[in-house]
Every structure is written in structure tokens, then in C-alpha cells.
Amino acid sequence: MWLCTLLSVLFGCLSGSALSGPRVWIIPRQSPRFDRPGDVIVGGSFSIFHFSDGTLSNFTAPPPVLKTSSASMWSYRVAQSFVFAIEEINRSAHLLPNLTLGFSIRNSGDSVHGALYETMGFLTGQEEPIPNYTCQHGSPQAALVGDTRSSLSVSMARLLGLYKFPQVSYSSSLPSLSDKIQFPSFIRTLTSDLTCSHAVTQLVIHFQWSWVIILAHDDDFGQQASSLATQMLTPAGVCIEYHLHVPSHQSFGKIEETVQKMQKCTARVVLVFLSNSNFQLILHGLLAVPVSGQVWVSMDTLHMALALTIPGISQVLQGTFGLLYHSSRAIGFPEFLAHLRPSQTPEDMFIKKFWEFTFDCTWPYQNSTVTEGVQFCTGNESLKNKPHPFPEVSRIDAAYTAVYSIAHALHNMLACEHQERKGTNSHNFHSWQLLHNLRNVYFKTSDGNKIMFDANGDLVTQFDIFQGKKTPAGVFHLVHVGLIDPQASSGNKMMVQLKQDLQVPTSICSESCLPGFSQVPRLGAPHCCFDCSPCPEGQFTDQRDMKRCLLCPKEQYSSHTRDHCLPRTEIFLAFEEPLGFILALVALLLAGLAVLVLGVFLKHRDTPVVRANNRTLSYFLLISLSLCALCALLFLGRPTVTTCLLRQTIFAVVFTVAVSSVLAKTLTVVLAFRVTRPRSRIQVCLSSGASTSVVLIASLIQVVLCGIWLITSPPFPDRDMISEPRHTVIQCHEGSGANFFCVLGFLGFLAGGTFSVAFLARGLPDVFNETKFLTFSMLLFCSVWTAFLPLYHSARGKSTVAVEIFSILASTAGLLGGIFIPKCYIILLKPEKNTPAWLRQGHQVQHNRQCEMLQRRCVSSGESLGSSL
């Protein structure tokens, strides 16, 4: 009883006194059919004639006789492909050889009412069908093929699903029909719209379009398709500029608003998920506005075919792409249609009306009087002269594969029953048995295509890619340019195969970032909109549109264009390069000059100039200065473990000897003027042994510091990859920074103390002005090393070594020139001043000057005392 109640609701059957009359009011009392007997009957539902508004019931009165407003040229041809397939199967010696298929073709009128009425009529075998009752005792019914639109197939599938009766659709692509819980007996020889939408997104990704518009219905399908497209495109880096939703019913105001929005869009690719009528209205609206250069990508190639019939559409459609599921071709079907005549199939109740619509004629018996200008149908007209437009995409043989799927499933079922010897014949099977075999059917068509269905009952197939192109004559037509294979997929990515390289326009929000640049997102804009920023030093990008720059390996640096890395070259201050050669030459010259001065002093060691102020200290100082100049050579060349251990320590020790020698000479001058009586303690300090002790003690302290440094954390060769981006600087790492600065600090303390003593003693009388020369040389020394500190820390790479060598040589030259050049001048150029007589005369003059100074001080002191008294 519950099943009867449910079906009564479906047909609008109301009980009681609310409405009276038969329950078939909503459908015309007589409906045309095309029946042919056979051992097994296959039904077909096609929207051949469209019912006019007056034909459908308003639920207040019985409907009038059947009136058709128009005939579908496509649907009738599809119905003929249904007939062609059955006749071909009946002639086959391999497929159902002992069985003849019959059929019953019915007209749904492109309405849900008509589809349900004809479906129930086919199931019950009654003109006025009653649910759950059948008056048919003849051939069993195998399956039902149809219908065209998804809304019709949904209603049919709900009804047929109750009986597990197989339904094979050739044109309904609604995604919800893949739900086997709601529609358990529904199978289709095409894919769902969601799979097509997925294929559309793969085409967008393949052509690297990153800035698109989605134009979709505002119904469930449009929302599902646009949502799926967004989910697939966003991870692939594609941005949606606008989601434009068009009402399912034709709303001219909404379409005009959509056209205005499209004028403002910058994206050049439009993904279309619309019906044919709304799509054509959009295109008509765009013809009136200056919009061109957009690429339309549709999941339905028929969109494009119908659009190309609009005059002047070439300025809107440029390089349009459409998808069509790859289906089998009915070989010989065009010839079958060409030989079709009404006289050959008198049982076909549709052909005469179709003939009138197609050839614009009238059958003579329908007119009692001859009207002027009326053309009569002869029945000898040929459809060869009336081809359906766009045969490459219109698929007028759509029902061919559906019939063959049913036939192969029936063949497999009967073969299985025969092998199991259950004695089942063609008249003794249930619909659910055929449904099981239909879901698992697998065969090859005559043109080599494989036919099989997935778990959802959808056809497993490929998609043909069509592109609208303009011929030299200026006519647009659709050209097959490739295919998309969902089976040869990796994850969610389908394989796209093109016959040739296509020149397609770009659709991007921002120009692509070349190698050497990285993307910088624009504030508040989608991730597809960005600016290109060059990679900094040491980083690179070797591909387009990289999100960030990559770091080069430590042993490499980035090229000038920042698109790859190059190997670093090792550098150090070598003897062979000009700077190293000059510094080495200067070091040798200074060392040679110090040795030359030492030779002069040794030759004239008994002269007053050499003997003045402890000649032993002069020898120590000259030897240490010579070693100071030579130690600069340790800083040149490739650093090794040995040179790194010796360079700073030798530098510190020999400079300590030099500075301590200057300190000893300065102290000797100062103490000499403090001797007031013979054999005093101060006079003991003036001995050569005391001066030597100062040098030895200072040098010993420095040696101890250097020893601690070398034992705890010695210097070692290091590779500096930061100072110079393109080079690896081979240098000596100082090891412990604290020990290094302790060594330099002691040397600085010694130099500062020496300069302070010399500066205080600069006014003491001396025949050869040695105190002034000592002060001047130490001033040079301290100035050089004071300037060295900031330069050393600001220099990079091998410049650091050059600064230190220059400081060593400059301070050496300062000490050598400031102390010994004036003495060499007297020894070599003024020998008359290098005699004891001149020395005594000079001492007398200095003594007189010293007495005068003392007297002046006493007088000034007395005057000051008298004034105070």
C-alpha cells in the first residue's frame, strides 16, 4: 500500500471528492509510439515533440487533445540511432544470435509529466497505467533508454529505482544521478557534470591560466561546479577574479548586470557552467559592449556550436574551448538516415510530424482544400539534404552506445545462465539480474572504443577538446585539438594530450616573475596578484614565479642575474698580485734599511752619536725593527697552520722588543738628568744592564702571553664566506679573541707608556735632540696603530690583512726614520758634529742655557715672593 500511495503522489493522483476524474488528466489521453515486437523489448524515452502550454493539465479539467508546439530535430535523430542499433544487433551473428530485440519508443514531450506517464505506461503495458499492475503477458522488458534532460531522467530514475528496473541515459549529466542510494538502477553512457568540471579545471591548469572568471547557474549544479572548480584551481595557484551566478530562469536584468561586471573584469578566461539559452543571452549582451579577447571554456561543446550561429559573435569568441565526452560513432548511421522514408516504417507514429517540421511541408490528406503557397510532403525527401548542424559535436547517435550496453549485458546474463544450466530462457529473467550485468558490462565497439561503467554507473571515458577557429573565409568552426584522459591521472590531475602546440592567450593578474626574481604578494589582493622583487646577494631563483629566493650553497655565490649559483674562488693576499708584491718589496726595503743603519752604527760604534744613549739598545732596536719589517712577509701568501701560529706571535714579540727598547732609551735620558751625586741609586739604573733588563722583562711578559694563547686556543686557517660574496677568503682565525686582545693590549700599554714618558722628557736638553726624536717616533707609532683599529674592523676579506701589513710597515718606518735617520744624517753627512770637541761645546752651550733658565726661574720666583710679602 505504501508503494501505491507514493506513486499516486508522483502522478498527482488525489482521492476523495477534492478532484474527480481519471488519474491520467495531466497527460493526453492518446500518445504516439513507435513499437516493434521482439523476444525482449527495450524501451526508449525521447523528447521528440514538445507539448504546448495548453497540452499540460491545470488540474481543473481534463486536458485537450495532443498539441505539439515544436519538434526536436536532434531527439528524433537520436531515436533513430536507437532503432539503428537494435536493427544492427538483430543482424549480428555474435551478439544475441538466438534472440530478437524489439523496442517501444515513446515521447516524453520534454516534460516531467510526460516522462513519468510514458515510463509507467511502458512498465504496465497499459494506455492508462495503474501503478503495480501490468496487463502485459508478452515479451519481457529489458531496460529503458532515456531521457534527454536531467530533470526528466531524475523523475524516471526515482520511479524505476523502486523496481530495480535498468535505466540507461544518453544525455543526462546531473551529478546527483551518480548517487546509487537515491538512483540504484540509473546508468548513463556519459560522465557527470562534476567530472566534466574537473576536466575543465585541468585544461585551465594545462594552459597555465592563473586569473579566471567563473560564470555559472545559481542552482545546485552551478554551485557544485563552481565550488569544485575553485577547490581544484586554488591549490594549483589559479585565482578566481569573479564568481558570476546567473539565475536558472531567464532574467534579463540579472544577465545585463552580469554583462556589466564582465566589462570590468581583467581576466581573459571565462569558465562557463550555463545552459545553452542563458549562455547565448550573455553573448548577445556582450556584442553590444566593447569586450573582446576573452577565452570561453565550456564543459559542453554544444554551447560553442550554438554560439557560433550568432551573427557577429567572432568579436567575442576568440580561441574558444569546449569539452565533449569521447563516445563511439555509429558507423553507417548517416546512410541509414539518408535512406529513411515514412513509407518504410508505417508503425512510426512520429515520422510524419517530424517530416513536416523538417521539410516545412504538409501531408496532402490533412488538408481538405488546396491552399496557395502550401508545399506538400511526398515522402521521398531525404535527410541527406537536411544534415543536423555541427555533426562533429551534436552526437545525434547518442543512443547507439546505450542500446549496445543493454545488448551486451543481456548477452552476458544469458550466457552465464546457460553455463550454470539453470534452464533460464530469454522470457524468464528479472530486471535486477540484468541490472547487475549492466553495471559490470565491458565491451569494445566497432570503432575500437572500450565501454565500461564505474561504481557510480557513469561511463568511463575520455574527453575530446574542441577549439573554435576561424577559417580563411572568415567562418568559425569547431576543430578537435586533443583529449583529456581521466584514467591516466595522478592524484587529482588528469592527463591532457594535444595534437599540436596551441597558441593560446595568457590570463594572469601579474606578469610572470623571471628567474632571479621572487614573488612579493600585493597587500589585500589574491595570491595571483604580486610584484616581482630581485633576489638579494647570495640567493637565487632558477625558475619562474618562485615564492621565495633560495640560498646558494656555502661554496657558491649567486650570479649577476641571480638565476643560478657559481662556484666561489679562493682568494688571499698573495705575493704574485700587485698589492702583495708592493707590500713585500716595502718590507724587504725597510728590513734592508734597518740592517744598513745597523751596519753604519757598527762601523761608527765609537763615535759620540752612536755611543750616546746606550748603543746596545740601539742595536736591539735596529735588529727588532728589521724583524718587524720581515714579519710582515708572514701575512702574505696562502695561510697555513704554521704561518697562522707564527704571524701574530712573532709580530707581538718583535714589536714588544722594539717598543721596550725605545722605552729603555727614554728612561735612560730621563734618569740621566736626575743624577745629582756620584754612585747614587739612579746612576746604577743608567747602566747598560739595567736598560737591557727592561727589554728582557717586557719581552718575557709578551712571550708568556703568547705562549698561553698558543696553548689554550691557537690561531688556525679559516675560510671566510661572508666578507666577499663571490670569493672564499682564506685567512687566519685568531682563535681566542680574549688572548689575542690581551697580547695587543699589553703591546698597546707598553707603547702608550713609552709615548707618555717620551712626551714628558721632550724638553730635556740633549746635544742630539734624541728625546724629541723619540717623542716624534712614538707619536707616529701610536697614531698608526690608533688608526689601525677602526680600519681593521671595517675592512673585509684580504683587505684586513693588507691593513695590518701596512700598519706594521708604517710603524716600523716611523720608528726607524724618527730615531735613526737624523743620526745617520750626522754620521754620514755632518761628520764634524760627530766629534768629542763638538760634543763638549754642545754640552757647554746646553749647560749655559740650563743655568740661564734656572736663574730666570729663581728671579721670577723671588719677584713672586716679594709681591706676596
Side-chain angles (χ1 to χ4, degrees):
M1 288 299 295
W2 66 268
L3 186 59
C4 293
T5 304
L6 175 62
L7 293 176
S8 297
V9 173
L10 287 173
F11 284 98
C13 301
L14 303 177
S15 60
S17 60
L19 289 175
S20 61
R23 59 171 59 97
V24 295
W25 283 357
I26 63 173
I27 296 296
R29 297 176 184 274
Q30 297 178 352
S31 57
R33 296 202 301 269
F34 181 9
D35 294 338
R36 185 172 294 177
D39 297 328
V40 176
I41 304 299
V42 179
S45 179
F46 304 91
S47 300
I48 299 175
F49 299 139
H50 296 178
F51 296 151
S52 62
D53 293 340
T55 302
L56 301 180
S57 175
N58 58 7
F59 297 97
T60 59
V65 296
L66 175 67
K67 292 182 180 180
T68 56
S69 60
S70 61
S72 172
M73 304 295 106
W74 181 80
S75 291
Y76 185 76
R77 284 177 168 83
V78 173
Q80 286 300 322
S81 71
F82 175 90
V83 176
F84 174 76
I86 289 183
E87 291 182 357
E88 194 174 66
I89 293 169
N90 289 335
R91 292 193 301 267
S92 173
H94 305 286
L95 185 61
L96 299 175
N98 300 320
L99 187 144
T100 301
L101 291 180
F103 59 80
S104 177
I105 297 178
R106 297 168 179 257
N107 175 43
S108 64
D110 195 32
S111 69
V112 175
H113 312 73
L116 286 173
Y117 181 83
E118 296 296 344
T119 300
M120 184 56 69
F122 174 72
L123 289 176
T124 62
Q126 306 174 42
E127 287 295 333
E128 296 184 2
I130 300 175
N132 288 339
Y133 290 92
T134 177
C135 300
Q136 182 172 304
H137 301 286
S139 302
Q141 298 163 326
L144 181 63
V145 176
D147 200 309
T148 305
R149 290 193 299 115
S150 295
S151 58
L152 277 61
S153 294
V154 167
S155 301
M156 295 168 58
R158 292 190 187 278
L159 176 61
L160 295 173
L162 298 175
Y163 302 100
K164 299 296 187 293
F165 192 87
Q167 176 189 1
V168 183
S169 176
Y170 52 84
S171 183
S172 300
S173 58
L174 189 70
S176 60
L177 287 169
S178 297
D179 186 354
K180 295 300 102 178
I181 296 178
Q182 296 188 60
F183 311 103
S185 63
F186 181 83
I187 295 174
R188 51 188 167 191
T189 57
L190 71 164
T191 60
S192 72
D193 285 334
L194 290 184
T195 306
C196 294
S197 302
H198 189 183
V200 167
T201 62
Q202 298 305 303
L203 193 63
V204 172
I205 295 173
H206 179 79
F207 288 130
Q208 297 181 352
W209 290 322
S210 61
W211 191 233
V212 300
I213 305 168
I214 291 181
L215 191 61
H217 272 311
D218 61 355
D219 56 6
D220 291 341
F221 159 66
Q223 293 177 359
Q224 288 181 2
S226 60
S227 176
L228 175 66
T230 303
Q231 293 175 9
M232 296 300 300
L233 294 176
T234 300
V238 181
C239 296
I240 313 299
E241 184 178 12
Y242 287 110
H243 285 85
L244 302 178
H245 293 283
V246 180
S248 301
H249 58 279
Q250 294 183 2
S251 174
F252 293 99
K254 184 65 176 178
I255 290 177
E256 182 179 357
E257 180 183 347
T258 302
V259 171
Q260 292 176 355
K261 288 183 178 179
M262 293 189 67
Q263 285 184 268
K264 303 176 183 178
C265 294
T266 59
R268 301 184 64 183
V269 173
V270 184
L271 307 186
V272 181
F273 305 105
L274 292 177
S275 64
N276 293 332
S277 56
N278 277 341
F279 182 58
Q280 293 187 60
L281 288 175
I282 293 290
L283 294 180
H284 275 294
L286 291 175
L287 282 174
V289 297
V291 175
S292 62
Q294 288 179 325
V295 178
W296 301 79
V297 182
S298 173
M299 52 177 285
D300 189 352
T301 307
L302 194 58
H303 280 163
M304 306 302 145
L306 296 175
L308 294 177
T309 61
I310 303 175
I313 200 63
S314 60
Q315 67 178 1
V316 177
L317 298 179
Q318 296 288 339
T320 300
F321 289 91
L323 298 183
L324 189 66
Y325 67 93
H326 187 75
S327 62
S328 300
R329 292 293 184 181
I331 301 174
F333 180 60
E335 292 76 12
F336 175 82
L337 286 179
H339 292 89
L340 185 66
R341 298 291 184 273
S343 59
Q344 296 175 352
T345 55
E347 70 273 24
D348 186 354
M349 301 176 65
F350 306 105
I351 190 168
K352 287 190 174 182
K353 183 66 68 175
F354 168 77
W355 219 258
E356 289 183 350
F357 278 107
T358 302
F359 296 103
D360 194 18
C361 61
T362 303
W363 293 100
Y365 67 84
Q366 293 182 354
N367 291 274
S368 58
T369 58
V370 178
T371 305
E372 185 178 357
V374 175
Q375 181 180 355
F376 291 110
C377 301
T378 65
N380 294 322
E381 294 86 356
S382 176
L383 290 176
K384 184 178 182 180
N385 301 323
K386 291 285 186 178
H388 194 271
F390 311 106
E392 65 275 7
V393 298
S394 57
R395 293 289 193 264
I396 58 175
D397 55 356
Y400 181 81
T401 304
V403 175
Y404 262 90
S405 300
I406 296 171
H408 277 276
L410 184 60
H411 182 91
N412 295 338
M413 183 188 70
L414 296 177
C416 181
E417 296 287 347
H418 178 73
Q419 290 177 0
E420 294 180 0
R421 297 183 180 182
K422 293 184 178 180
T424 303
N425 55 38
S426 61
H427 295 271
N428 187 19
F429 69 89
H430 299 284
S431 58
W432 59 265
Q433 293 175 297
L434 180 62
L435 178 62
H436 172 76
N437 287 272
L438 189 58
R439 289 173 177 171
N440 298 280
V441 74
Y442 174 81
F443 64 96
K444 284 187 178 181
T445 60
S446 56
D447 59 352
N449 288 323
K450 298 177 182 179
I451 302 298
M452 60 182 298
F453 303 99
D454 60 15
N456 297 323
D458 299 334
L459 182 67
V460 177
T461 184
Q462 299 173 338
F463 294 94
D464 293 323
I465 305 173
F466 288 87
Q467 183 183 20
K469 290 188 177 181
K470 195 173 184 179
T471 64
V475 179
F476 272 89
H477 65 113
L478 296 174
V479 180
H480 183 260
V481 296
L483 58 87
I484 298 177
D485 190 359
Q487 301 307 307
S489 60
S490 176
N492 290 327
K493 186 176 182 181
M494 298 181 180
M495 184 179 67
V496 180
Q497 295 179 343
L498 299 177
K499 294 181 177 180
Q500 58 185 353
D501 292 334
L502 301 178
Q503 299 296 327
V504 296
T506 59
S507 181
I508 54 178
C509 179
S510 301
E511 291 294 332
S512 178
C513 290
L514 298 174
F517 294 82
S518 63
Q519 295 180 357
V520 178
R522 294 178 185 171
L523 186 63
H527 66 85
C528 296
C529 302
F530 51 82
D531 297 318
C532 297
S533 175
C535 292
E537 184 72 43
Q539 300 182 21
F540 75 102
T541 54
D542 55 356
Q543 298 178 7
R544 287 176 171 266
D545 296 326
M546 293 188 68
K547 301 296 182 182
R548 60 183 182 88
C549 297
L550 305 177
L551 288 174
C552 287
K554 289 185 177 181
E555 297 295 333
Q556 297 179 356
Y557 69 96
S558 56
S559 63
H560 176 70
T561 55
R562 303 292 191 270
D563 57 354
H564 64 283
C565 295
L566 299 173
R568 293 173 179 262
T569 56
E570 294 182 348
I571 61 170
F572 49 86
L573 193 56
F575 290 96
E576 295 80 10
E577 60 182 290
L579 180 59
F581 177 77
I582 292 174
L583 293 176
L585 183 60
V586 172
L588 293 175
L589 290 176
L590 285 177
L593 182 60
V595 172
L596 184 60
V597 173
L598 179 61
V600 171
F601 269 50
L602 290 174
K603 183 179 179 181
H604 300 86
R605 60 183 176 276
D606 295 327
T607 60
V609 172
V610 176
R611 295 178 61 188
N613 201 0
N614 200 331
R615 59 185 174 186
T616 303
L617 290 178
S618 298
Y619 298 155
F620 278 150
L621 183 56
L622 286 172
I623 294 172
S624 63
L625 291 177
S626 177
L627 294 176
C628 287
L630 292 176
C631 79
L633 300 177
L634 293 174
F635 291 83
L636 296 172
R638 185 184 183 90
T640 62
V641 176
T642 303
T643 55
C644 288
L645 291 173
L646 295 179
R647 61 166 56 173
Q648 297 290 359
T649 54
I650 291 179
F651 155 73
V653 171
V654 296
F655 263 87
T656 301
V657 173
V659 174
S660 61
S661 299
V662 176
L663 177 60
K665 292 175 70 69
T666 307
L667 290 175
T668 300
V669 175
V670 173
L671 294 176
F673 283 93
R674 289 185 174 271
V675 177
T676 55
R677 64 177 183 266
R679 298 181 181 178
S680 62
R681 293 181 179 179
I682 297 178
Q683 189 175 8
V684 176
C685 296
L686 294 177
S687 64
S688 59
S691 302
T692 305
S693 299
V694 173
V695 176
L696 293 177
I697 292 172
S699 302
L700 181 61
I701 295 174
Q702 188 67 283
V703 168
V704 171
L705 292 176
C706 290
I708 295 173
W709 180 15
L710 295 179
I711 292 173
T712 57
S713 180
F716 57 90
D718 190 22
R719 304 168 67 85
D720 179 14
M721 300 179 183
I722 300 176
S723 300
E724 298 192 23
R726 301 186 180 184
H727 303 98
T728 299
V729 181
I730 308 300
Q731 63 182 11
C732 286
H733 192 278
E734 309 306 338
S736 173
N739 291 335
F740 174 64
F741 285 108
C742 285
V743 170
L744 292 184
F746 176 73
L747 183 59
F749 170 75
L750 198 62
T754 303
F755 173 71
S756 301
V757 175
F759 181 78
L760 295 175
R762 70 186 185 282
L764 295 177
D766 190 4
V767 177
F768 303 109
N769 296 318
E770 189 167 18
T771 56
K772 295 181 180 180
F773 296 146
L774 291 174
T775 304
F776 177 71
S777 62
M778 289 307 301
L779 178 62
L780 290 177
F781 184 90
C782 293
S783 299
V784 167
W785 289 105
T786 301
F788 161 79
L789 294 176
L791 291 176
Y792 183 82
H793 286 91
S794 61
R796 291 292 181 268
K798 61 183 181 179
S799 299
T800 305
V801 181
V803 168
E804 189 167 1
I805 294 175
F806 177 80
S807 301
I808 291 172
L809 297 180
S811 57
T812 301
L815 292 177
L816 182 61
I819 297 174
F820 294 101
I821 294 301
K823 294 185 177 182
C824 290
Y825 172 78
I826 295 175
I827 294 172
L828 299 177
L829 300 180
K830 297 290 185 178
E832 67 275 7
K833 295 183 178 181
N834 193 15
T835 60
W838 190 85
L839 183 61
R840 286 193 296 268
Q841 183 181 356
H843 279 300
Q844 185 64 38
V845 172
Q846 289 183 2
H847 178 71
N848 294 335
R849 290 178 180 175
Q850 187 176 8
C851 292
E852 291 178 359
M853 291 174 60
L854 290 173
Q855 289 178 359
R856 290 176 182 173
R857 290 178 182 176
C858 291
V859 171
S860 59
S861 300
E863 291 178 353
S864 300
L865 181 60
S867 60
S868 62
L869 292 174

